[in-house]
Amino acid sequence: MKKGKFVGLCIFIFVLTFILGIISKFAIQPSWKKEYSVKWSDEIGTRISDVSYDSGEANKFDLYLPKDNTKENYGLVVYLHAGGFTSGDKKDDEDMLAWLTSKGYVAAGINYTLRTEDNDKSILSQSNEIKSAIPVVIEEAKKHGYNIDKLTMAGGSAGHCLAMIYAYRDAKDSPVPVVFTFGAVGPSSFFREDWDNYGLDKDADEAIEAAAGLFSVMGGVEITTDMIKNGSYQELMKPVSAYAWIDENSVPTVVAYGKYDRVQPYKGSLRLKKALEDNNIDFKYFELPHSGHGLQNDDKVVKQWMEAIDEYLAKYMPVEK
Amino acid sequence: MTTKRYVILGIVAVFGICLGRLAVRALMNLLLGGTLFGGNFL
């Protein structure tokens, strides 16, 4: 083979293997991940889709009922979807909900009204929708012969934020005891100095205005630049700041956060960790030292996090024998 | 083809796969945050 042809062959092989490398990154997953992600089938149980819990178009939930309906009581796991409060759907978590159902739990994915340019929805309104949904989910399960006696709140990112708000702020109003909360990368506090991922920590007027604007949208309240400057915005943000509701009676918690998160502030997760420590809560906090919002670069830690979820579910919400 | 050329092709292939995987990691890091090295192998 002539040199020119060989160089051409090398370029072809490089391009081909480069594409294979890209595909392999998505296609090849650690074998342990299969343990925590189950494809839904009728063998697992029954799924009841799009049950309304309020009049809003998005106010619907999917209920996953385990095959075995002979037990006296069941634990319910509510898993709330991600999407930055502006996108996502309960269907996104089908594999997680199927996994929970396969373990013997009743599981539910709840939609909430997403923030758009045309509405004034906020974390506050979304958390209140979730609060109003829980009694309806429990009643619906009961209607199908599954009596719920315990509740675990969980979610990813925005869903994790909402799950924590229910677990720490609203647990006292829950029809059944909330016994555990788990999730990943959910924002739990709104301190301007923590939100350096969006540059809100800077002293410039633009940063203060941006903080006032972002926190107003998230909190569903009007926050002015003066409030940002004098710190009084914290009281207004409390209803959506899960960490601020943690006390010595708060539920056991398992969370995971990426140290390089660009979407929600890593520094905020340290406040959550401190609040859990200060109140002697039984918790596990997993820090992924090379990952961001997708927990994408630390599979070993993700495995430990999932094992901890499994362990805490068995400890605080065991499936009846 | 000579043995030397087979070896070169092999090295190019390994290089291509590694760079392909690194490119995905770099893109994900750009969107979500993260380090290029450390943690998972590539």
Side-chain angles (χ1 to χ4, degrees), chain A residues 38-47 64-69 97-105 146:
Chain A
V38 174
K39 287 282 163 217
W40 179 258
S41 77
D42 292 342
E43 290 302 304
I44 300 169
T46 310
R47 178 170 55 189
Y64 292 68
L65 302 167
K67 191 123 189 146
D68 181 357
N69 60 357
L97 291 160
W99 171 65
L100 292 162
T101 313
S102 72
K103 290 175 69 65
Y105 296 114
Y146 294 79

Side-chain angles (χ1 to χ4, degrees), chain B residues 4-24:
Chain B
K4 189 180 164 189
R5 286 191 167 185
Y6 278 118
V7 170
I8 291 170
L9 279 180
I11 292 168
V12 167
V14 170
F15 200 61
I17 286 175
C18 291
L19 277 184
R21 289 179 68 85
L22 266 181
V24 175

Side-chain angles (χ1 to χ4, degrees), chain A residues 69-95:
Chain A
N69 60 357
T70 60
K71 297 183 193 331
E72 196 178 335
N73 296 303
Y74 290 82
L76 166 67
V77 185
V78 169
Y79 195 91
L80 302 172
H81 70 78
F85 310 101
T86 59
S87 64
D89 187 89
K90 51 190 166 50
K91 292 270 187 297
D92 301 344
D93 302 311
E94 188 181 278
D95 292 356

Side-chain angles (χ1 to χ4, degrees), chain A residues 43-189:
Chain A
E43 290 302 304
I44 300 169
T46 310
R47 178 170 55 189
I48 300 151
S49 300
D50 293 325
V51 184
S52 293
Y53 64 87
D54 210 335
S55 55
E57 199 183 329
N59 297 149
K60 292 184 170 65
F61 64 88
D62 292 346
L63 192 62
Y64 292 68
L65 302 167
K67 191 123 189 146
D68 181 357
N69 60 357
T70 60
K71 297 183 193 331
E72 196 178 335
N73 296 303
Y74 290 82
L76 166 67
V77 185
V78 169
Y79 195 91
L80 302 172
H81 70 78
F85 310 101
T86 59
S87 64
D89 187 89
K90 51 190 166 50
K91 292 270 187 297
D92 301 344
D93 302 311
E94 188 181 278
D95 292 356
M96 169 62 94
L97 291 160
W99 171 65
L100 292 162
T101 313
S102 72
K103 290 175 69 65
Y105 296 114
V106 172
I110 305 173
N111 274 357
Y112 41 90
T113 309
L114 303 171
R115 168 86 185 188
T116 67
E117 286 182 7
D118 303 321
N119 69 27
D120 60 352
K121 297 299 173 185
S122 62
I123 300 176
L124 182 63
S125 67
Q126 292 166 346
S127 66
N128 288 334
E129 286 183 13
I130 296 302
K131 186 179 178 182
S132 72
I134 300 295
V136 185
V137 174
I138 291 169
E139 271 309 304
E140 185 69 18
K142 197 174 181 181
K143 218 191 287 179
H144 293 275
Y146 294 79
N147 189 54
I148 305 298
D149 69 339
K150 290 186 183 76
L151 171 61
T152 287
M153 291 299 295
S157 191
H160 184 211
C161 171
L162 297 172
M164 286 191 289
I165 292 172
Y166 190 87
Y168 302 138
R169 186 192 73 182
D170 299 330
K172 61 185 185 310
D173 301 319
S174 173
V176 297
V178 182
V179 294
F180 174 43
T181 183
F182 71 87
V185 299
S188 66
S189 61

Side-chain angles (χ1 to χ4, degrees), chain A residues 171-208:
Chain A
K172 61 185 185 310
D173 301 319
S174 173
V176 297
V178 182
V179 294
F180 174 43
T181 183
F182 71 87
V185 299
S188 66
S189 61
F190 301 88
F191 285 85
R192 181 173 81 92
E193 58 269 35
D194 291 351
W195 286 70
D196 53 359
N197 48 325
Y198 296 134
L200 304 187
D201 59 322
K202 304 276 188 296
D203 286 332
D205 287 346
E206 290 84 359
I208 293 169

Side-chain angles (χ1 to χ4, degrees), chain A residues 164 168 188-189 243 246 253 255 257 266-281 283-287:
Chain A
M164 286 191 289
Y168 302 138
S188 66
S189 61
Y243 102 101
I246 293 173
T253 301
V255 292
Y257 286 92
Y266 162 72
K267 286 179 183 168
S269 72
L270 299 179
R271 285 187 198 271
L272 174 69
K273 185 183 177 192
K274 187 172 185 308
L276 293 165
E277 275 169 354
D278 290 349
N279 287 284
N280 296 313
I281 306 302
F283 80 101
K284 285 195 177 173
Y285 172 94
F286 293 91
E287 180 177 297

